């Protein structure tokens, strides 16, 4: 935990000194923590059970409630809350730092002429950094706890179980999220004929962005969860191949409905909170 904390805060400080701010870290951490406590953890818990057991949502919820009621639904919330605060604060600080770096290395013509592609470049940088320092270590601890593992007693290497596919997932997620966000935002501006969006318009932008990102990264998320919950060492691709051989294409999108609700609500809470606190990067403000 100490090693992960040192690496995480080292990168946050580096990002903050290169275009980020304390407001970005605090705003992101606050928004993500609220989302997790309100509904996010329960949906995440259901999603993990669906992906591990390959069962429909209703059967999973009924089984979990019979095992322990509300306490079972909030099992592992401590790791998820820590992860949410680290993710929320760290990821937006990293996005801000990545945005600063790209703005200083790419021409104005590129940024203004191809804003969607520019956001994709920002997503690649932010995705790799977030996976290495935040997502993979914290997600491994959370999944391990939810599935009855022994945590760090299994060795430090377990913190980076499924890193290869998770970094691909995070890069795809961030690229898709930022590119979809920019595209939907520009479409909304065109439809409205101005950049003055109402709350309803902003909600539509958030839902559209979250939905596209969720569908694109669903297979990688399933593979990561299966690899991290496995009792024996296995690669993400091997776990995904085994699930595909057993359940077919359905296995690749296990828990999709739950993830759509979760990620859309996350996008709404995160983007609207960050926008209201004026913490979004300059080119992403709603």
């Amino acid at each position: 935990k100490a090693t992960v904390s040192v690496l995480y805060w080292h990168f946050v400080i580096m990002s903050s000194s290169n275009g980020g701010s304390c407001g970005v870290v605090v705003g992101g951490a606050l928004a993500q923590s609220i989302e997790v406590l309100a509904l996010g953890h329960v949906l995440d818990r259901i999603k993990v059970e669906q992906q591990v057991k390959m069962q429909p949502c209703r059967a999973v919820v009924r089984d979990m409630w019979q095992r322990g009621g509300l306490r079972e639904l909030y099992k592992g919330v401590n790791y998820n809350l820590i992860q949410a605060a680290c993710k929320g604060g760290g990821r937006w600080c990293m996005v801000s730092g990545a945005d600063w770096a790209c703005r200083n290395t790419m021409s104005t013509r590129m940024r203004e002429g191809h804003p969607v592609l520019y956001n994709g470049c920002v997503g690649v940088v932010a995705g790799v950094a977030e996976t290495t320092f935040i997502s993979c270590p914290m997600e491994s601890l959370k999944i391990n706890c939810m599935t009855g593992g022994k945590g760090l007693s299994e060795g430090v290497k377990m913190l980076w179980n499924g890193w290869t596919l998770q970094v691909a997932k995070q890069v795809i997620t961030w690229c898709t999220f930022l590119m979809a966000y920019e595209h939907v935002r520009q479409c909304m501006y065109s439809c409205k004929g101005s950049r003055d969006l109402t709350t309803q318009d902003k909600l539509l932008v958030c839902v559209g962005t979250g939905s596209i990102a969720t569908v694109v990264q669903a297979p990688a998320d399933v593979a990561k969860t299966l690899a991290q919950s496995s009792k024996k060492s296995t690669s993400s691709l091997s776990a995904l191949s085994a699930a595909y051989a057993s359940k077919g294409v359905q296995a690749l999108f296990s828990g999709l409905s739950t993830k759509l609700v979760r990620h859309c609500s996350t996008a709404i809470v995160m983007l609207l909170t960050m926008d209201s606190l004026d913490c979004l990067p300059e080119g992403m403000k709603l």
Side-chain angles (χ1 to χ4, degrees):
K1 289 181 180 179
T3 302
V4 174
S5 298
V6 169
L7 291 173
Y8 164 64
W9 287 112
H10 172 68
F11 193 85
V12 167
I13 292 171
M14 287 176 62
S15 299
S16 296
S17 65
N18 289 284
S21 66
C22 291
V24 175
V25 177
V26 174
L30 179 63
Q32 192 75 51
S33 299
I34 292 173
E35 190 274 334
V36 166
L37 288 176
L39 184 63
H41 179 78
V42 173
L43 292 173
D44 198 36
R45 182 85 173 89
I46 295 170
K47 179 203 73 173
V48 170
E49 289 285 329
Q50 280 185 273
Q51 292 177 342
V52 172
K53 297 182 178 180
M54 295 294 172
Q55 294 179 349
C57 180
R58 182 178 297 180
V60 167
V61 173
R62 182 171 59 248
D63 180 58
M64 291 172 64
W65 187 261
Q66 290 175 349
R67 291 205 310 263
L70 195 61
R71 177 177 293 183
E72 183 67 21
L73 291 174
Y74 276 91
K75 183 179 180 181
V77 69
N78 53 340
Y79 283 124
N80 209 5
L81 192 58
I82 293 172
Q83 180 194 37
C86 289
K87 270 188 174 182
R91 69 176 22 164
W92 284 106
C93 188
M94 291 174 188
V95 169
S96 181
D99 179 67
W100 177 89
C102 291
R103 282 181 179 276
N104 283 273
T105 56
M106 300 175 69
S107 66
T108 303
R109 181 179 178 181
M110 172 64 181
R111 297 198 309 269
E112 296 180 354
H114 306 279
V116 176
L117 182 59
Y118 168 77
N119 275 16
C121 295
V122 174
V124 171
V125 177
V128 173
E130 182 195 349
T131 301
T132 303
F133 299 116
I134 302 175
S135 299
C136 195
M138 298 307 301
E139 188 78 2
S140 293
L141 284 173
K142 182 192 72 175
I143 298 296
N144 191 275
C145 175
M146 285 181 177
T147 55
K150 298 181 180 179
L152 288 175
S153 62
E154 297 180 11
V156 177
K157 288 185 178 180
M158 62 81 59
L159 293 176
W160 285 276
N161 283 346
W163 182 91
T164 303
L165 200 58
Q166 187 169 354
V167 74
K169 175 218 164 187
Q170 288 302 108
V171 167
I172 292 172
T173 298
W174 269 116
C175 286
T176 305
F177 184 88
L178 295 179
M179 294 172 75
Y181 173 78
E182 183 63 27
H183 181 70
V184 174
R185 187 175 66 136
Q186 292 299 329
C187 287
M188 188 62 69
Y189 288 157
S190 298
C191 292
K192 295 285 292 185
S194 71
R195 291 178 174 265
D196 185 19
L197 301 182
T198 64
T199 302
Q200 183 178 359
D201 297 331
K202 293 179 179 181
L203 283 172
L204 290 175
V205 172
C206 295
V207 171
T209 302
S211 298
I212 295 172
T214 301
V215 173
V216 172
Q217 61 88 35
D221 186 51
V222 171
K224 172 185 63 68
T225 300
L226 293 176
Q228 290 174 337
S229 62
S230 176
K231 300 301 181 182
K232 59 181 180 179
S233 180
T234 183
S235 69
S236 300
L237 290 176
S238 298
L240 188 63
S241 297
Y244 178 77
S246 174
K247 298 286 185 176
V249 177
Q250 180 181 352
L252 304 182
F253 295 93
S254 177
L256 181 62
S257 58
T258 305
K259 284 185 283 188
L260 279 171
V261 175
R262 168 71 194 277
H263 292 173
C264 286
S265 64
T266 298
I268 291 171
V269 173
M270 181 63 69
L271 290 174
L272 293 186
T273 301
M274 295 287 288
D275 183 64
S276 64
L277 295 174
D278 197 27
C279 292
L280 286 172
E282 189 63 32
M284 292 181 59
K285 297 184 184 300
L286 284 169

